[in-house]
Amino acid sequence: MFGSLFILLILNVPIAVSLALSSVVTLFIFDIPLSIFPFTMYTATAKFTLLAIPFFILAGTIMEKSGISKRLINFANLVVGHLKGGLAIVTVLTSCFFAAISGSGPATVAALGNMLVPAMEESGYDKGMSAALLSASGAIGIIIPPSIAFVVYGVVAQVSIGKLFIAGIIPGLLFGLMLIVASLIVSRKYNIKQTGAATGKQLRKAFVEAVWGIMTPVIILGGIYGGIFTPTEAAGVAVFYGLIVGLFIYRDLKPKAVPSLLVESSVSSAVVMLIVAAASLFAWIITTQGIARDLADVLLSITSNKYGILMIINIILLIAGCFIDAVSAYYILMPIFLPILNIVGIDLLHFGVVMTVNLAIGQITPPVGVNLYVACGIADIGINRISKSIVPFLVASLVALLLVTYLPILSLGLPALMGM
């Protein structure tokens, strides 16, 4: 099963098709009725919680077109743009803000790239470095809530999505902080133009314009933890909030553009849900045929030490992230990891953050680093150039991963403080 999947991925067959075909081959080998194929795929997608995925995708698309991103960039630039390496800091900060709106790495890169990459190049940054920083910053999109990745993990591991959202806040900010440090170090070799400090009047005006975007995560998370609505309902609220802001407040979004936004979001949602459906069949075979148990026994035979297990799992996830997306990884690997985590006593909430940070790094590692390809298209550069420039940001991301892995308080502290 894993062999056929790997071959199909090497042949560049789409991940959903690869998962489905390798599963069907295995069904033949195990002489399992093919009727299990449509049944399993249907039951995997017919879940109320998964409605959050198309809604968050639609919300992110609306926010991207409604003018929120340019106002966030302008506000952040006025606050820190005058500092040495300020525009690099702006890139990370606005990515954190937009991550709290879109819940998607590629969406964050696409929304901010057309403005930030040319601005950084004009200020003296190398284009490859600018695109690489944007790619790495976009990865924060699946760590800081609301996160589509956390929704999928919560469904697969049966962990509270609300708790996952809160647990991802500090690790997401830490990830961003490590990227800021790396960008400031890299920026030393460039002759960066610095802008003058903004006046109080300019800051107030920029804040007033950006406040509608800043309020988006406040409304979403405040509503969830205030008991007003569930994470799934929050995604629907985010859609209507984005429409109100785009159509009636900023007026950058025109009514005639709404149908095309619906089509674009539907296509993106269909891609994700097809992967969920195909990966669920793959996961079902892993569980029911004892494959998960056998692979878990192999890992436990190497070491039963909790910290050693976490290191091995991190290595597996980093390698997997080079070839498959986060949604597929959750469905394929969680059935294998779950019995191990229970045996060695690793908290599933903590592990959800660790796994998501790993898969965020996967978005910036070749050959299938989706953020890299989005940034390449925006900056009009080749994958070789951005792959070289991404190295310092990859190192910074790995430092953040190690801290999140071995300091569980970074993930569990805030939920505990909130009585969760």
Side-chain angles (χ1 to χ4, degrees), residues 139-145 147 150 164-165 168-169 171-172 175 353 356-357 360:
I140 300 171
I142 70 169
I143 306 173
I144 287 183
S147 162
F150 278 146
L164 285 166
F165 279 3
I169 293 175
F175 197 101
V353 178
T356 302
V357 173

Side-chain angles (χ1 to χ4, degrees), residues 156 283-284 286-287 292-293 296 329-339:
V156 175
W284 182 87
I286 289 174
T287 304
R293 183 187 63 248
Y330 290 132
Y331 277 93
I332 294 171
L333 297 174
M334 272 310 293
I336 299 170
F337 293 153
L338 201 54

